[in-house]
Coordinates of all heavy atoms in Angstrom, one line a residue:
P1 N 112.7 180.8 119.7 CA 113.7 181.9 119.3 C 113.8 182.9 120.5 O 112.9 183.1 121.3 CB 113.1 182.7 118.2 CG 111.8 182.0 117.7 CD 111.6 180.9 118.8
G2 N 114.9 183.5 120.6 CA 115.2 184.5 121.6 C 114.5 185.7 121.3 O 114.1 186.0 120.2
A3 N 114.0 186.5 122.2 CA 113.2 187.7 122.0 C 113.4 188.6 123.2 O 113.9 188.3 124.2 CB 111.7 187.2 121.9
E4 N 113.0 189.9 122.9 CA 113.0 191.0 123.9 C 111.6 191.4 124.0 O 110.8 191.6 123.0 CB 113.9 192.1 123.5 CG 115.4 191.8 123.5 CD 116.2 192.8 123.3 OE1 115.8 194.0 123.2 OE2 117.4 192.7 122.8
D5 N 111.1 191.8 125.2 CA 109.7 192.2 125.3 C 109.7 193.8 125.1 O 108.5 194.4 125.1 CB 109.1 191.8 126.5 CG 109.5 192.5 127.8 OD1 110.4 193.3 127.7 OD2 108.7 192.3 128.9
G6 N 110.7 194.5 125.2 CA 110.8 196.0 124.8 C 110.6 196.8 126.0 O 111.0 197.9 126.0
S7 N 110.2 196.2 127.1 CA 110.0 196.9 128.3 C 111.3 197.3 129.0 O 111.4 198.3 129.8 CB 109.0 196.2 129.4 OG 109.6 195.1 129.7
T8 N 112.2 196.5 128.9 CA 113.6 196.7 129.5 C 114.7 196.3 128.4 O 115.0 195.1 128.1 CB 113.8 195.7 130.8 OG1 112.7 195.8 131.6 CG2 115.0 195.9 131.4
P9 N 115.2 197.4 127.8 CA 116.1 197.1 126.6 C 117.3 196.3 127.2 O 117.8 196.4 128.2 CB 116.6 198.5 126.4 CG 115.4 199.4 126.8 CD 114.9 198.8 128.0
G10 N 117.6 195.3 126.3 CA 118.7 194.4 126.5 C 118.4 193.1 127.4 O 119.1 192.2 127.5
L11 N 117.1 193.1 127.9 CA 116.7 191.9 128.6 C 116.1 191.0 127.6 O 115.1 191.3 126.9 CB 115.6 192.4 129.7 CG 115.1 191.3 130.7 CD1 116.2 190.8 131.5 CD2 113.9 191.9 131.5
E12 N 116.6 189.7 127.6 CA 116.2 188.9 126.6 C 115.4 187.6 127.3 O 115.6 187.3 128.5 CB 117.4 188.3 125.9 CG 118.0 189.2 125.0 CD 119.1 188.8 124.3 OE1 119.3 187.5 124.2 OE2 119.8 189.6 123.5
G13 N 114.6 187.0 126.6 CA 113.9 185.8 127.1 C 113.6 184.8 126.0 O 114.1 185.0 124.9
L14 N 112.8 183.8 126.3 CA 112.6 182.8 125.2 C 111.1 182.8 124.9 O 110.2 183.0 125.8 CB 112.9 181.4 125.9 CG 114.3 181.2 126.3 CD1 114.4 179.9 126.9 CD2 115.3 181.3 125.1
C15 N 110.9 182.7 123.7 CA 109.5 182.5 123.1 C 109.5 181.2 122.5 O 110.0 180.8 121.4 CB 109.3 183.6 122.0 SG 107.6 183.6 121.4
H16 N 108.9 180.2 123.2 CA 108.7 178.8 122.8 C 108.0 178.8 121.4 O 107.1 179.5 121.3 CB 108.1 178.0 123.9 CG 108.2 176.5 123.7 ND1 107.2 175.8 123.0 CD2 109.0 175.6 123.9 CE1 107.5 174.5 123.0 NE2 108.6 174.4 123.5
V17 N 108.3 177.7 120.8 CA 107.6 177.6 119.5 C 106.1 177.6 119.5 O 105.4 178.0 118.7 CB 108.2 176.3 118.7 CG1 107.9 175.1 119.4 CG2 107.7 176.2 117.3
S18 N 105.5 176.9 120.7 CA 104.2 176.8 121.0 C 103.4 178.2 121.2 O 102.3 178.3 121.1 CB 103.9 175.9 122.1 OG 104.4 176.3 123.3
E19 N 104.3 179.2 121.5 CA 103.8 180.5 121.8 C 104.0 181.5 120.7 O 103.7 182.7 120.8 CB 104.5 181.0 123.1 CG 104.2 180.3 124.3 CD 102.7 180.3 124.8 OE1 102.1 181.4 124.3 OE2 102.3 179.5 125.4
L20 N 104.4 181.0 119.4 CA 104.5 181.9 118.3 C 103.2 182.2 117.5 O 102.9 183.3 117.1 CB 105.5 181.3 117.3 CG 107.1 181.4 117.7 CD1 107.9 180.7 116.7 CD2 107.4 182.9 117.9
H21 N 102.4 181.1 117.6 CA 101.1 181.2 116.6 C 100.1 180.2 117.1 O 100.5 179.3 117.9 CB 101.6 180.9 115.2 CG 100.6 181.3 114.1 ND1 100.2 182.6 114.0 CD2 99.8 180.6 113.3 CE1 99.2 182.7 113.1 NE2 99.0 181.4 112.6
F22 N 98.9 180.5 116.7 CA 97.8 179.6 117.2 C 97.8 178.3 116.5 O 97.5 177.2 117.1 CB 96.4 180.3 116.9 CG 96.2 181.6 117.5 CD1 96.4 182.8 116.8 CD2 95.9 181.6 118.9 CE1 96.4 183.9 117.6 CE2 95.7 182.9 119.5 CZ 95.9 184.0 118.8
E23 N 98.4 178.2 115.3 CA 98.5 176.9 114.5 C 99.9 176.5 114.8 O 100.7 177.2 115.2 CB 98.2 177.2 113.0 CG 96.9 177.7 112.7 CD 96.5 178.0 111.3 OE1 97.3 177.6 110.4 OE2 95.6 178.6 111.0
R24 N 100.2 175.2 114.5 CA 101.3 174.6 114.7 C 102.4 175.2 113.8 O 102.2 175.3 112.7 CB 101.3 173.1 114.4 CG 102.6 172.4 114.7 CD 102.4 170.8 114.7 NE 103.6 170.2 115.0 CZ 104.2 169.2 114.4 NH1 103.5 168.6 113.4 NH2 105.3 168.6 114.8
V25 N 103.6 175.6 114.4 CA 104.7 176.1 113.7 C 105.8 175.0 113.6 O 106.2 174.5 114.6 CB 105.3 177.3 114.4 CG1 106.5 177.8 113.7 CG2 104.3 178.4 114.5
R26 N 106.2 174.5 112.5 CA 106.9 173.4 112.1 C 108.5 173.9 112.2 O 109.4 173.2 112.4 CB 106.7 172.6 111.0 CG 105.3 171.8 111.1 CD 105.0 171.2 109.7 NE 103.6 170.7 109.7 CZ 103.3 169.5 110.2 NH1 104.0 168.6 110.6 NH2 102.0 169.3 110.1
N27 N 108.6 175.2 111.7 CA 110.0 175.7 111.4 C 110.0 177.1 112.0 O 109.5 178.0 111.4 CB 110.3 175.6 110.0 CG 111.7 176.2 109.7 OD1 112.1 177.1 110.4 ND2 112.2 175.8 108.6
C28 N 110.6 177.3 113.1 CA 110.6 178.6 113.8 C 111.3 179.6 112.9 O 110.7 180.7 112.7 CB 111.4 178.5 115.2 SG 110.7 177.6 116.4
E29 N 112.5 179.2 112.4 CA 113.2 180.3 111.5 C 112.4 180.7 110.3 O 112.2 181.8 110.1 CB 114.5 179.7 111.2 CG 115.6 180.7 110.8 CD 116.9 180.0 110.6 OE1 117.3 179.2 111.4 OE2 117.5 180.3 109.5
G30 N 111.8 179.8 109.7 CA 111.0 180.1 108.6 C 109.6 180.8 108.8 O 109.4 181.7 108.1
F31 N 109.0 180.5 110.0 CA 107.9 181.2 110.5 C 108.3 182.7 110.7 O 107.6 183.7 110.2 CB 107.3 180.6 111.6 CG 106.1 181.5 112.1 CD1 104.9 181.3 111.6 CD2 106.2 182.3 113.3 CE1 103.8 182.2 112.0 CE2 105.2 183.0 113.8 CZ 104.1 183.0 113.2
V32 N 109.3 182.9 111.5 CA 109.7 184.2 111.8 C 110.1 185.1 110.5 O 109.7 186.3 110.3 CB 110.9 184.3 112.8 CG1 111.4 185.7 113.0 CG2 110.3 183.7 114.1
K33 N 110.8 184.4 109.5 CA 111.1 185.1 108.3 C 109.9 185.4 107.5 O 109.8 186.5 106.9 CB 111.9 184.1 107.5 CG 113.5 184.1 107.9 CD 114.3 183.3 106.9 CE 115.7 183.3 107.3 NZ 116.5 182.4 106.3
S34 N 108.8 184.6 107.7 CA 107.5 184.7 106.9 C 106.9 185.9 107.4 O 106.1 186.5 106.7 CB 106.7 183.6 107.0 OG 106.0 183.4 108.2
L35 N 107.2 186.4 108.6 CA 106.4 187.6 109.1 C 107.0 188.9 108.5 O 106.3 189.8 108.4 CB 106.7 187.7 110.7 CG 106.0 186.5 111.5 CD1 106.5 186.7 112.9 CD2 104.6 186.7 111.4
G36 N 108.2 188.8 107.9 CA 108.7 189.9 107.2 C 109.1 191.1 108.1 O 109.1 192.3 107.6
V37 N 109.3 190.8 109.4 CA 109.8 191.9 110.2 C 111.0 191.5 111.1 O 111.2 190.3 111.2 CB 108.5 192.2 111.3 CG1 107.4 192.9 110.5 CG2 108.1 191.2 112.1
E38 N 111.7 192.4 111.6 CA 112.8 192.2 112.4 C 112.4 191.9 113.8 O 113.0 191.2 114.6 CB 113.8 193.4 112.3 CG 114.6 193.6 111.1 CD 115.6 192.6 110.8 OE1 116.4 192.3 111.8 OE2 115.7 192.0 109.7
E39 N 111.4 192.6 114.3 CA 110.8 192.5 115.6 C 109.3 192.3 115.6 O 108.6 192.7 114.7 CB 111.1 193.8 116.3 CG 112.5 194.2 116.6 CD 112.8 195.5 117.1 OE1 111.7 196.2 117.5 OE2 114.0 195.9 117.4
F40 N 108.7 191.7 116.7 CA 107.3 191.6 117.0 C 107.1 191.5 118.4 O 108.0 191.4 119.2 CB 106.9 190.2 116.2 CG 107.5 189.0 116.6 CD1 107.1 188.3 117.8 CD2 108.6 188.4 115.8 CE1 107.8 187.1 118.1 CE2 109.1 187.3 116.2 CZ 108.8 186.6 117.2
E41 N 105.8 191.9 118.7 CA 105.4 192.0 120.1 C 105.3 190.7 120.8 O 104.7 189.8 120.2 CB 104.1 192.8 120.1 CG 104.1 194.3 119.8 CD 102.7 194.8 120.0 OE1 102.3 195.2 121.2 OE2 102.0 195.1 119.0
V42 N 105.7 190.8 122.1 CA 105.5 189.5 122.8 C 105.1 190.0 124.2 O 105.2 191.1 124.5 CB 106.9 188.7 123.0 CG1 107.3 188.0 121.7 CG2 108.0 189.6 123.6
K43 N 104.4 189.0 125.0 CA 103.9 189.2 126.2 C 104.8 188.5 127.2 O 105.1 187.2 127.0 CB 102.5 188.9 126.3 CG 101.8 189.1 127.7 CD 100.4 188.8 127.7 CE 99.9 189.0 129.2 NZ 98.5 188.9 129.3
Y44 N 105.1 189.1 128.3 CA 105.8 188.3 129.5 C 104.9 187.5 130.2 O 103.9 187.8 130.7 CB 106.4 189.4 130.4 CG 107.2 188.7 131.6 CD1 108.3 188.0 131.6 CD2 106.5 188.9 132.9 CE1 108.8 187.6 132.8 CE2 107.0 188.3 134.0 CZ 108.2 187.7 133.9 OH 108.7 187.2 135.1
L45 N 105.2 186.2 130.3 CA 104.3 185.2 130.9 C 104.9 184.7 132.2 O 104.1 184.2 133.0 CB 104.3 183.9 130.0 CG 103.6 184.0 128.7 CD1 103.7 182.7 127.9 CD2 102.2 184.5 128.7
G46 N 106.2 185.0 132.5 CA 106.8 184.6 133.8 C 108.2 184.0 133.5 O 108.6 184.1 132.5
K47 N 108.6 183.3 134.6 CA 110.0 182.7 134.4 C 109.8 181.1 134.5 O 108.9 180.7 135.2 CB 110.9 183.2 135.6 CG 111.3 184.6 135.4 CD 112.4 184.9 136.6 CE 112.8 186.4 136.4 NZ 113.8 186.8 137.3
N48 N 110.7 180.4 133.7 CA 110.5 179.0 133.9 C 111.4 178.5 135.0 O 112.0 179.3 135.8 CB 111.0 178.4 132.5 CG 112.6 178.6 132.2 OD1 113.4 179.1 133.0 ND2 112.8 178.5 130.9
A49 N 111.6 177.1 135.1 CA 112.3 176.7 136.2 C 113.8 177.0 136.3 O 114.4 177.1 137.2 CB 112.2 175.1 136.2
K50 N 114.2 177.3 135.0 CA 115.7 177.8 135.0 C 115.9 179.3 135.2 O 117.0 179.7 135.2 CB 116.2 177.4 133.6 CG 116.3 175.9 133.4 CD 116.9 175.7 132.0 CE 116.9 174.2 131.6 NZ 117.4 173.9 130.2
G51 N 114.8 180.0 135.5 CA 114.8 181.5 135.7 C 114.8 182.3 134.4 O 115.1 183.4 134.5
Q52 N 114.7 181.6 133.3 CA 114.6 182.3 132.1 C 113.3 183.0 131.7 O 112.2 182.3 132.3 CB 115.0 181.3 130.9 CG 116.3 180.7 131.0 CD 116.4 179.5 130.0 OE1 115.4 178.7 129.9 NE2 117.5 179.4 129.4
L53 N 113.1 184.2 131.1 CA 112.0 184.8 131.0 C 111.2 184.0 129.8 O 111.8 183.6 128.9 CB 112.2 186.2 130.5 CG 113.0 187.1 131.4 CD1 113.0 188.5 130.8 CD2 112.3 187.2 132.8
Q54 N 109.9 183.8 130.0 CA 109.0 183.2 129.0 C 108.2 184.3 128.4 O 107.5 184.9 129.0 CB 108.2 182.1 129.6 CG 109.1 180.9 130.2 CD 108.1 179.9 130.7 OE1 107.5 180.1 131.6 NE2 108.2 178.7 130.1
L55 N 108.2 184.3 127.1 CA 107.5 185.3 126.3 C 106.6 184.6 125.4 O 106.7 183.5 124.8 CB 108.5 186.1 125.5 CG 109.7 186.8 126.5 CD1 110.7 187.5 125.6 CD2 109.0 187.8 127.4
S56 N 105.5 185.3 125.0 CA 104.5 184.7 124.0 C 103.9 185.8 123.0 O 103.4 186.8 123.3 CB 103.3 184.3 124.9 OG 102.3 183.9 124.0
R57 N 104.2 185.5 121.8 CA 103.6 186.3 120.7 C 102.1 185.9 120.5 O 101.2 186.8 120.3 CB 104.3 186.0 119.4 CG 103.7 186.6 118.1 CD 104.4 186.3 116.8 NE 103.7 187.0 115.8 CZ 102.7 186.5 115.1 NH1 102.2 185.3 115.4 NH2 102.0 187.1 114.2
K58 N 101.8 184.6 120.9 CA 100.4 184.2 120.7 C 99.5 184.9 121.7 O 98.3 185.3 121.4 CB 100.3 182.7 121.0 CG 99.1 182.1 120.8 CD 99.2 180.6 120.8 CE 99.5 179.8 122.1 NZ 99.4 178.5 121.9
A59 N 100.0 185.3 122.9 CA 99.1 186.0 124.0 C 98.8 187.4 123.5 O 97.8 187.9 123.7 CB 99.9 186.0 125.2
V60 N 99.8 187.9 122.7 CA 99.6 189.3 122.3 C 98.6 189.2 121.2 O 97.6 190.1 121.2 CB 101.0 190.0 121.6 CG1 100.6 191.2 120.9 CG2 101.9 190.2 122.8
Q61 N 98.5 188.3 120.2 CA 97.6 188.2 119.2 C 96.3 187.9 119.8 O 95.2 188.4 119.3 CB 98.1 187.0 118.3 CG 99.3 187.3 117.6 CD 99.4 188.4 116.7 OE1 98.4 188.6 115.9 NE2 100.4 189.3 116.8
E62 N 96.2 187.1 120.8 CA 94.8 186.7 121.4 C 94.3 188.0 122.1 O 93.1 188.3 121.9 CB 95.1 185.7 122.6 CG 93.9 185.2 123.1 CD 93.0 184.3 122.3 OE1 93.5 183.6 121.6 OE2 91.7 184.7 122.3
E63 N 95.0 188.8 122.7 CA 94.6 190.1 123.3 C 94.1 191.0 122.2 O 93.0 191.7 122.4 CB 95.7 190.8 124.2 CG 95.9 190.0 125.5 CD 97.0 190.7 126.3 OE1 97.5 191.7 126.0 OE2 97.3 190.1 127.3
K64 N 94.8 191.0 121.1 CA 94.4 191.8 120.0 C 92.9 191.5 119.5 O 92.0 192.3 119.2 CB 95.4 191.9 118.9 CG 96.6 192.8 119.2 CD 97.6 192.9 118.1 CE 98.8 193.7 118.4 NZ 99.7 193.7 117.4
R65 N 92.7 190.2 119.4 CA 91.5 189.7 119.0 C 90.4 190.0 120.0 O 89.2 190.0 119.5 CB 91.6 188.1 118.9 CG 92.3 187.5 117.7 CD 92.3 186.0 117.7 NE 92.9 185.4 116.5 CZ 93.0 184.2 116.3 NH1 92.5 183.3 117.1 NH2 93.6 183.8 115.3
N66 N 90.7 190.1 121.3 CA 89.6 190.3 122.2 C 89.6 191.8 122.6 O 89.2 192.1 123.8 CB 90.0 189.4 123.4 CG 89.7 188.0 123.3 OD1 88.9 187.6 122.5 ND2 90.5 187.1 124.0
G67 N 90.0 192.7 121.8 CA 89.9 194.1 122.0 C 90.9 194.6 123.2 O 90.6 195.5 124.1
G68 N 92.0 193.9 123.3 CA 93.0 194.3 124.4 C 92.9 193.7 125.6 O 93.6 194.0 126.5
K69 N 91.9 192.7 125.8 CA 91.7 192.0 127.1 C 92.4 190.6 126.9 O 92.3 190.0 125.9 CB 90.3 191.9 127.4 CG 89.6 193.3 127.5 CD 88.1 193.1 127.8 CE 87.4 194.3 127.8 NZ 85.9 194.3 127.9
P70 N 92.9 190.1 128.0 CA 93.4 188.8 127.9 C 92.3 187.9 127.8 O 91.1 188.0 128.2 CB 94.1 188.6 129.4 CG 94.2 190.0 129.9 CD 93.3 190.8 129.3
K71 N 92.6 186.7 127.2 CA 91.6 185.7 127.0 C 91.1 185.2 128.3 O 91.8 184.9 129.3 CB 92.3 184.3 126.4 CG 91.3 183.3 126.0 CD 92.0 182.2 125.2 CE 91.0 181.1 125.0 NZ 91.6 180.0 124.2
P72 N 89.7 185.2 128.6 CA 89.2 184.9 129.9 C 89.5 183.3 130.0 O 89.3 182.5 129.2 CB 87.6 185.1 129.7 CG 87.4 185.2 128.2 CD 88.7 185.6 127.5
K73 N 89.8 183.0 131.4 CA 90.0 181.7 131.7 C 88.7 181.0 131.9 O 87.8 181.6 132.5 CB 90.8 181.6 133.0 CG 92.3 182.1 132.8 CD 93.0 182.0 134.1 CE 94.5 182.5 134.0 NZ 95.2 182.4 135.1
P74 N 88.6 179.7 131.4 CA 87.3 179.0 131.5 C 87.1 178.6 132.9 O 88.1 178.4 133.7 CB 87.5 177.8 130.7 CG 88.8 177.6 130.5 CD 89.4 179.0 130.7
K75 N 85.9 178.8 133.5 CA 85.5 178.3 134.9 C 85.8 176.8 135.0 O 85.4 176.0 134.1 CB 84.1 178.6 135.1 CG 83.8 180.1 135.2 CD 82.3 180.3 135.6 CE 81.9 181.7 135.6 NZ 80.6 182.0 136.0
P76 N 86.5 176.5 136.0 CA 86.7 175.0 136.3 C 85.4 174.3 136.5 O 84.5 174.7 137.2 CB 87.5 175.0 137.5 CG 87.5 176.2 138.1 CD 87.0 177.3 137.1
Q77 N 85.2 173.1 135.7 CA 84.0 172.3 135.8 C 84.3 171.3 136.9 O 85.3 170.7 136.9 CB 83.7 171.7 134.4 CG 83.5 172.8 133.3 CD 82.2 173.5 133.6 OE1 81.2 172.9 134.1 NE2 82.3 174.8 133.4
P78 N 83.3 171.0 137.7 CA 83.4 170.0 138.7 C 83.5 168.6 137.8 O 82.9 168.4 136.9 CB 82.1 170.0 139.4 CG 81.1 170.8 138.6 CD 81.9 171.7 137.8
E79 N 84.4 167.7 138.5 CA 84.6 166.5 137.7 C 83.3 165.5 137.9 O 83.1 164.8 137.0 CB 85.8 165.8 138.4 CG 87.1 166.5 138.0 CD 88.3 165.9 138.6 OE1 88.2 164.7 138.8 OE2 89.2 166.6 138.8
M80 N 82.5 165.7 139.0 CA 81.3 164.9 139.2 C 80.3 165.8 140.0 O 80.7 166.8 140.7 CB 81.7 163.7 140.2 CG 82.5 162.5 139.5 SD 82.5 161.2 140.6 CE 83.9 161.6 141.5
S81 N 79.1 165.5 139.6 CA 78.1 166.3 140.3 C 77.9 165.7 141.7 O 78.4 164.6 142.1 CB 76.7 166.1 139.5 OG 76.3 164.7 139.7
E82 N 77.2 166.4 142.5 CA 76.9 166.0 143.9 C 76.1 164.7 143.9 O 76.4 163.9 144.8 CB 76.1 167.1 144.6 CG 77.0 168.2 145.0 CD 76.3 169.3 145.9 OE1 75.5 168.8 146.9 OE2 76.4 170.5 145.7
E83 N 75.2 164.5 143.0 CA 74.5 163.3 142.9 C 75.4 162.2 142.6 O 75.3 161.0 143.2 CB 73.4 163.3 141.8 CG 72.3 164.4 142.1 CD 71.3 164.4 141.0 OE1 71.4 163.7 140.0 OE2 70.5 165.4 141.1
E84 N 76.3 162.3 141.7 CA 77.3 161.1 141.4 C 78.1 160.9 142.6 O 78.3 159.7 142.9 CB 78.1 161.6 140.3 CG 77.4 161.7 138.9 CD 78.2 162.2 137.8 OE1 78.9 163.2 138.1 OE2 78.3 161.7 136.7
V85 N 78.6 161.9 143.3 CA 79.3 161.7 144.6 C 78.5 161.0 145.6 O 79.1 160.0 146.2 CB 79.9 163.0 145.1 CG1 80.6 162.8 146.4 CG2 80.9 163.6 144.1
D86 N 77.3 161.3 145.8 CA 76.5 160.6 146.7 C 76.2 159.1 146.4 O 76.2 158.3 147.2 CB 75.0 161.3 146.9 CG 75.1 162.6 147.5 OD1 76.1 163.0 148.2 OD2 74.2 163.5 147.3
V87 N 76.0 158.7 145.1 CA 75.8 157.5 144.7 C 77.0 156.6 145.0 O 77.1 155.5 145.4 CB 75.5 157.4 143.2 CG1 75.6 156.0 142.6 CG2 74.2 158.0 142.9
I88 N 78.2 157.2 144.7 CA 79.5 156.5 144.9 C 79.6 156.2 146.5 O 80.1 155.2 146.9 CB 80.7 157.3 144.3 CG1 80.6 157.2 142.8 CG2 82.0 156.7 144.7 CD1 81.6 158.1 142.0
A89 N 79.4 157.3 147.1 CA 79.6 157.2 148.7 C 78.6 156.2 149.2 O 79.0 155.4 150.1 CB 79.2 158.6 149.3
Q90 N 77.4 156.1 148.7 CA 76.5 155.0 149.2 C 77.0 153.7 148.9 O 76.9 152.7 149.5 CB 75.1 155.3 148.6 CG 74.4 156.4 149.1 CD 73.1 156.8 148.5 OE1 72.8 156.2 147.5 NE2 72.4 157.9 148.9
A91 N 77.5 153.5 147.5 CA 78.0 152.2 147.2 C 79.2 151.8 148.0 O 79.2 150.6 148.5 CB 78.5 152.4 145.7
I92 N 80.2 152.7 148.4 CA 81.2 152.5 149.1 C 80.7 152.0 150.6 O 81.2 151.0 151.3 CB 82.3 153.6 149.2 CG1 82.8 153.7 148.0 CG2 83.2 153.5 150.4 CD1 83.7 155.1 147.7
E93 N 79.7 152.7 151.1 CA 79.2 152.4 152.4 C 78.6 151.0 152.4 O 78.8 150.3 153.4 CB 78.2 153.5 152.8 CG 77.6 153.5 154.2 CD 76.7 154.6 154.6 OE1 77.1 155.7 154.4 OE2 75.6 154.3 154.9
G94 N 77.9 150.7 151.4 CA 77.2 149.3 151.2 C 78.3 148.2 151.3 O 78.1 147.2 152.0
I95 N 79.3 148.5 150.5 CA 80.5 147.4 150.4 C 81.1 147.3 151.9 O 81.3 146.3 152.3 CB 81.5 147.9 149.4 CG1 80.9 147.8 147.9 CG2 82.8 147.0 149.5 CD1 81.7 148.3 146.9
S96 N 81.4 148.5 152.5 CA 82.0 148.5 153.8 C 81.1 147.8 154.9 O 81.6 146.9 155.6 CB 82.1 149.8 154.2 OG 82.8 150.0 155.5
N97 N 79.8 148.0 154.7 CA 78.9 147.3 155.7 C 78.9 145.7 155.5 O 78.9 144.9 156.3 CB 77.5 147.9 155.5 CG 77.3 149.2 156.0 OD1 78.1 149.6 156.9 ND2 76.3 149.9 155.6
R98 N 78.9 145.4 154.2 CA 78.9 143.9 153.9 C 80.3 143.3 154.3 O 80.3 142.1 154.9 CB 78.7 143.7 152.4 CG 77.4 143.7 152.0 CD 77.1 143.4 150.5 NE 76.8 144.6 149.8 CZ 77.1 144.8 148.5 NH1 77.6 143.8 147.8 NH2 76.9 145.9 148.0
L99 N 81.4 144.0 154.2 CA 82.6 143.5 154.7 C 82.7 143.3 156.2 O 83.2 142.4 156.7 CB 83.8 144.4 154.2 CG 84.1 144.4 152.7 CD1 85.1 145.4 152.3 CD2 84.6 143.1 152.3
S100 N 82.0 144.3 156.9 CA 81.9 144.3 158.4 C 81.2 143.0 158.8 O 81.4 142.4 159.8 CB 81.4 145.6 158.9 OG 82.1 146.6 158.5
D101 N 80.1 142.7 158.0 CA 79.2 141.7 158.4 C 79.9 140.3 158.2 O 79.7 139.3 159.0 CB 77.9 141.6 157.6 CG 77.0 142.9 157.9 OD1 77.3 143.4 159.0 OD2 76.1 143.2 157.1
D102 N 80.8 140.2 157.3 CA 81.6 138.9 157.0 C 82.7 138.7 158.0 O 83.1 137.7 158.1 CB 82.1 139.1 155.5 CG 81.1 138.9 154.4 OD1 79.9 138.6 154.8 OD2 81.4 139.3 153.3
I103 N 83.1 139.9 158.7 CA 84.2 139.6 159.7 C 83.8 139.0 160.9 O 83.1 138.8 161.6 CB 85.0 140.9 159.8 CG1 85.6 141.3 158.5 CG2 86.1 140.8 160.8 CD1 86.3 142.6 158.6

């Protein structure tokens, strides 16, 4: 649904269905009606590829759950440990050496 973030009156953006609530929303219109309000808070997430403002009600709810702080981003986990990388490197080196011997 269309929405305004309130910081700039008259400035409108989009709140994607996935940004309305933590659980799946099957019917946007029904969900918004069930809130029983004309307006609700949203957070500005940025602009999409078309230059439209992207807004999130879910982000506001998450911050309220965390005492006003944005949800911390999880630390990226390495895909492989150094040991695994070493084992793969040794295997490749061994195959490479065998191929060189055959040539």
Side-chain angles (χ1 to χ4, degrees):
E4 295 181 17
D5 75 350
S7 62
T8 308
L11 186 62
E12 294 185 6
L14 299 175
C15 187
H16 190 268
V17 63
S18 65
E19 293 297 332
L20 285 175
H21 194 61
F22 299 100
E23 295 177 17
R24 184 171 184 222
V25 174
R26 295 178 191 268
N27 179 333
C28 293
E29 200 172 316
F31 176 79
V32 172
K33 279 184 182 180
S34 74
L35 295 175
V37 295
E38 291 285 321
E39 299 177 358
F40 51 86
E41 289 181 75
V42 293
K43 179 178 180 176
Y44 173 71
L45 299 178
K47 290 186 179 183
N48 66 15
K50 295 179 182 178
Q52 299 166 318
L53 303 181
Q54 292 181 299
L55 306 171
S56 173
R57 176 182 176 272
K58 187 166 67 172
V60 171
Q61 298 298 313
E62 185 70 41
E63 286 181 6
K64 286 181 179 180
R65 284 183 178 182
N66 292 329
K69 297 176 185 173
K71 183 178 179 180
K73 293 182 181 179
K75 292 182 181 178
Q77 298 294 318
E79 294 181 22
M80 287 189 270
S81 70
E82 285 187 44
E83 290 175 11
E84 291 171 314
V85 172
D86 289 342
V87 167
I88 292 171
Q90 289 171 0
I92 292 171
E93 189 176 306
I95 292 170
S96 178
N97 290 339
R98 278 188 257 154
L99 290 174
S100 297
D101 293 342
D102 291 341
I103 295 179

